[in-house]
Amino acid sequence: MASIVGCVWLLLANRKGKSGDTTGHVWDDDLSEYNNPLPRWWFNLFVLTVVFAVGYLAFYPGLGNLAGRLGWTSTQEMEEGLAKLTEQRTAQYARYVSYSVDQLAQDAGARSMGRAVFLSNCAGCHGPDARGAIGFPDLTDQDWLYGGDAETLLATIKSGRTSKMPAFNGALSPEQLQALVNFVPFWSDKELDPHAREVGMAAFAGMCAACHGAEGKGNVTLGAPNLTDDVWLFGGSQERVRNSILWGRESHMPAHDTLISPDEQRLVAGYIKSLSEKQSGAEVLQTPPAPPSQQRTAALP
């Protein structure tokens, strides 16, 4: 309000003046500054901007806690837009409400929707092709830290996961550490020296078997990875394995229960399941086109 009053004062103060009068300022002997009044059209336009500003503050919130005569708020507009979007999504997902995750994995339309949800919410960590990266699991293979069945996938997406491998720095002798480094990265290598395997297994049984199992095949209850295959979450080189043993590892997948709707959770679970089934050679069925009414529903943004 002080700014508006100041603008009005400045406008009125500069309205004075008479054509032909000068301010007394002269440059280069004959270049004088005149004190002509403001043009009427410019003056009227400025008055209109002041009137508009006052009217805007009267109808919309802009003066402290005054709500404005229209009662408009950005929060209300956001909530109305969100409600409209939620309604559109509900209609879009309606045809898949009765589908199980396994059925969603076999339906081309559901996979397309699930992929869209995946790209918006999951690709930042797992990559747009879902093949993961160092520290982020590959979702296209059959190697699952917590299990790849439909129920487990939904639980993972909804509630997230947190896993931690303790650091063994100081808990292992240099000989035990070297035995593990010489053995664990080559567990699946049939040509590994028998002595290195024997010594490594002895060190493994004493320190690692409690989580990874006596045979190194992992534990889905704890999220402990299978060490006998050639899939490595943090890399399978001797140097990376050494770092994992010495300093431990910690992974966290955030819960998506408050980020995406239950329908979206089921769709993305079906999409992820279809990726691993495709990788394993399982047949992914193509469903016939939906009736025209359902096609229109599925076309909503």
Side-chain angles (χ1 to χ4, degrees), residues 109-188:
R111 292 198 304 275
S112 178
M113 292 183 186
R115 182 175 184 273
V117 177
F118 178 89
L119 291 175
S120 298
N121 297 273
C122 316
C125 292
H126 295 283
D129 58 358
R131 295 189 179 277
I134 296 296
F136 302 98
D138 183 346
L139 304 179
T140 66
D141 55 22
Q142 287 290 312
D143 192 86
W144 298 97
L145 293 176
Y146 293 92
D149 60 281
E151 183 178 352
T152 302
L153 283 177
L154 280 175
T156 299
I157 295 169
K158 178 180 179 180
S159 303
R161 298 289 184 183
T162 298
S163 62
K164 181 177 178 64
M165 173 180 169
F168 286 92
N169 185 30
L172 291 171
S173 67
E175 293 77 16
Q176 289 175 311
L177 174 61
Q178 193 58 46
L180 289 172
V181 171
N182 291 338
F183 164 60
V184 173
F186 309 103
W187 196 310
S188 58

Side-chain angles (χ1 to χ4, degrees), residues 35-104:
N35 189 26
N36 294 328
L38 295 173
R40 183 172 294 276
W41 68 267
W42 194 95
F43 177 85
N44 292 337
L45 186 62
F46 201 109
V47 170
L48 288 177
T49 63
V50 172
V51 172
F52 174 83
V54 173
Y56 184 92
L57 294 175
F59 287 98
Y60 291 93
L63 295 175
N65 293 326
L66 296 180
R69 298 188 63 84
L70 296 181
W72 176 92
T73 65
S74 57
T75 301
Q76 178 183 356
E77 183 174 331
M78 182 274 293
E79 290 176 346
E80 291 175 352
L82 181 60
K84 183 178 180 181
L85 179 60
T86 301
E87 182 181 356
Q88 290 178 328
R89 287 180 172 176
T90 301
Q92 182 181 18
Y93 302 146
R95 62 175 292 194
Y96 298 113
V97 170
S98 61
Y99 281 45
S100 67
V101 172
D102 292 325
Q103 289 174 318
L104 292 173

Side-chain angles (χ1 to χ4, degrees), residues 208-220:
C208 315
C211 292
H212 294 281
E215 298 180 353
K217 294 187 179 296
N219 187 332
V220 295

